């Protein structure tokens, strides 16, 4: 019976009582197409439609103008942006849901077109050899500028400011985007961090910025409302390359995160097949569940069956679903009824407006016709 599904059991996260373990993964939807990168009323509608998720993690939201790397992504650094997010948090809360905002700095995954011709920032002067989606279309990324100590300090302050604004906007918490090849991940991996100062060289030094970001954010919000996202075995995508030190670095980070009373640790299984890479870890939940003592949410390519299985096996406490939530606003209800899922349309993932955003029907609507 559906009532016994592990995914549908409530879960206590810090001081939040969440309805279930079906969480919505953060997903950029590129609908903030206005000069100030503010969210609109359609964002409120989109997230409220998905409020039956145990927890919604918002799309990545840049913490400063320097942090941006894609057109039409929302920000959380200005007063106007903070004000605009209020309609989203209010709509989700009115619909009985909980929502965290993902705080984002893309680092080198950007382009000078976003920065008045200046180079994007990164741990070191490296090029992810990727593409940036600029106002003029896709362009090749360039070699980034190595951040000065002053720029690192400013970035940590920007994360803190984003968290402060998030609290003011009514979010239940924040998730630090230290995943998927973006700025903090660029610091972690030795292949993208060639620094010789206190932020490079050893594992401890490469991980340092994450803990400084957490410590700064803790000053403006409770520790148990902070989530951290990591993708240890990301290789060959988003410009990231693993080496022998990558997994030991993540082992160190995850173990050290136990010193904090975080809301959760959000991990992704590898995005690509890494079985041929000798230094990659193909089973992320299996490796990190024994290392991490707090709430662990797992992601990537899960369905209802695999989601229930991983929780029953004791390898995760919750599952974050991405694409299934794009096309199934009532994903939780569909799981409860063992109902079929709607397919997502990739061509409208990042296009402006309501098409492919707020127009996926719920099961009830489908049945009514
Ligand atoms: C359209 C789209 C946008 C995404 N944007 C983000 C993002 O802003 N932040 C992030 O951490 N991950 C982002 N991701 C990755 C998802 O959170 C998730 O890891 C990925 O979709 C795999 O999960 P799934 O198989 O359940 O979709 C995005 C994925 C998609 C499909």
């Amino acid at each position: 019976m559906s009532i016994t599904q592990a995914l549908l059991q409530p879960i206590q996260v810090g001081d939040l009582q969440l309805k279930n373990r079906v969480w919505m993964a953060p997903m950029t939807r590129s609908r903030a197409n206005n000069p100030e990168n503010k969210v609109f009323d359609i964002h409120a509608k989109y997230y409220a439609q998905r409020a039956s998720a145990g927890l919604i993690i918002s799309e990545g939201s840049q913490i400063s103008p320097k942090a941006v790397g894609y057109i039409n992504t929302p920000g959380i650094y200005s007063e106007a942006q903070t004000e605009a997010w209020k309609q989203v948090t209010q709509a989700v809360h009115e619909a009985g849901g909980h929502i965290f905002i993902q705080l984002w700095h893309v680092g080198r995954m950007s382009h000078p077109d976003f920065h008045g011709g200046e180079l994007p920032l990164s741990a070191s002067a490296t090029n992810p050899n990727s593409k940036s989606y600029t106002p003029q279309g896709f362009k090749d990324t360039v070699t980034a500028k190595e951040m000065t100590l002053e720029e690192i300090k400013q970035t940590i302050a920007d994360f803190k400011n984003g968290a402060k604004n998030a609290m003011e906007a009514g979010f239940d918490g924040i998730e630090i985007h230290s995943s998927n090849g973006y700025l903090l991940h660029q610091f972690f991996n030795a292949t993208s961090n060639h620094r010789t100062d206190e932020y490079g060289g050893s594992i401890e030094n490469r991980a340092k910025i994450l803990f400084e970001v957490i410590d700064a954010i803790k000053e403006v919000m409770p520790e148990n409302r902070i989530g951290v996202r990591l993708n240890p075995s990301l290789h060959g995508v988003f410009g990231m390359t693993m080496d022998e030190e990558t997994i030991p670095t993540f082992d160190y980070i995850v173990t050290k995160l136990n010193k904090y009373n975080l809301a959760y640790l959000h991990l992704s299984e590898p995005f690509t097949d890494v079985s041929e890479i000798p230094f990659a870890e193909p089973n992320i939940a299996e490796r990190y569940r024994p290392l991490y003592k707090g709430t662990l949410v797992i992601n990537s390519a899960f369905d209802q069956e695999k989601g229930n299985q991983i929780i029953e096996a004791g390898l995760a406490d919750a599952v974050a679903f991405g694409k299934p939530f794009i096309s199934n606003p009532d994903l939780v209800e569909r799981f409860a009824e063992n109902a079929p899922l709607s397919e997502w349309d990739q061509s409208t993932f990042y296009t402006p407006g309501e098409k492919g955003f707020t127009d996926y029907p719920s099961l009830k609507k489908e049945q009514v016709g």
Side-chain angles (χ1 to χ4, degrees), residues 31-287:
R31 261 73 177 179
N33 52 326
N34 58 82
E36 291 175 282
N37 294 131
K38 296 186 295 183
V39 289
F40 290 119
D41 51 353
I42 60 169
H43 292 85
K45 187 170 164 188
Y46 166 74
Y47 284 114
Q49 285 172 340
R50 288 153 181 81
S52 56
L55 180 66
I56 295 171
I57 306 158
S58 84
E59 59 209 281
S61 305
Q62 57 266 11
I63 52 161
S64 73
K66 273 278 170 209
V68 71
Y70 300 85
I71 56 162
N72 303 335
T73 56
I76 182 70
Y77 54 88
S78 74
E79 214 177 304
Q81 291 163 351
T82 305
E83 199 54 36
W85 275 114
K86 287 182 183 170
Q87 62 195 316
V88 172
T89 59
Q90 196 180 340
V92 170
H93 291 149
E94 276 171 13
H98 288 100
I99 181 165
F100 277 34
I101 186 171
Q102 192 185 47
L103 302 182
W104 193 21
H105 192 310
V106 303
R108 64 183 186 171
M109 293 293 286
S110 188
H111 191 276
D113 283 5
F114 285 109
H115 310 294
E118 285 181 25
L119 294 175
L121 301 176
S122 187
S124 295
T126 61
N127 186 340
N129 296 314
S130 189
K131 297 273 177 196
S132 176
Y133 192 17
T134 76
Q136 283 82 42
F138 281 106
K139 290 196 177 177
D140 288 337
T141 53
V142 300
T143 299
K145 173 185 169 308
E146 175 166 315
M147 290 170 87
T148 61
L149 290 178
E150 195 47 48
E151 283 163 338
I152 291 177
K153 222 165 133 191
Q154 182 58 49
T155 300
I156 294 166
D158 292 340
F159 270 101
K160 179 178 172 181
N161 180 56
K164 189 166 154 279
N165 289 344
M167 291 298 94
E168 197 198 318
F171 283 99
D172 297 296
I174 64 97
E175 178 175 286
I176 299 168
H177 196 352
S178 35
S179 184
N180 298 356
Y182 296 113
L183 181 69
L184 300 180
H185 201 164
Q186 292 157 25
F187 272 85
F188 301 157
N189 281 18
T191 54
S192 46
N193 181 346
H194 308 144
R195 301 180 74 94
T196 52
D197 62 6
E198 64 195 277
Y199 292 96
S202 67
I203 285 176
E204 291 81 358
N205 284 1
R206 279 187 271 110
K208 184 179 158 108
I209 189 169
L210 172 64
F211 296 100
E212 291 186 342
V213 166
I214 300 174
D215 289 338
I217 290 176
K218 265 173 55 179
E219 291 173 14
V220 291
M221 61 182 290
E223 212 168 302
N224 64 5
R225 299 295 186 97
I226 303 172
V228 169
R229 187 171 211 204
L230 301 172
N231 192 342
S233 282
L234 187 73
H235 182 76
V237 274
F238 297 109
M240 291 315 275
T241 307
M242 299 181 73
D243 69 4
E244 290 79 359
E245 285 206 9
T246 306
I247 289 299
T249 303
F250 283 97
D251 291 352
Y252 166 80
I253 292 173
V254 171
T255 306
K256 187 163 175 184
L257 286 175
N258 285 319
K259 293 197 177 141
Y260 295 82
N261 179 29
L262 296 179
Y264 62 82
L265 170 62
H266 183 176
L267 296 175
S268 293
E269 294 290 349
F271 278 2
T272 53
D273 180 6
V274 293
S275 54
E276 304 291 309
I277 316 282
F279 40 77
E281 170 56 69
N283 300 304
I284 293 297
E286 276 178 35
R287 185 182 190 97

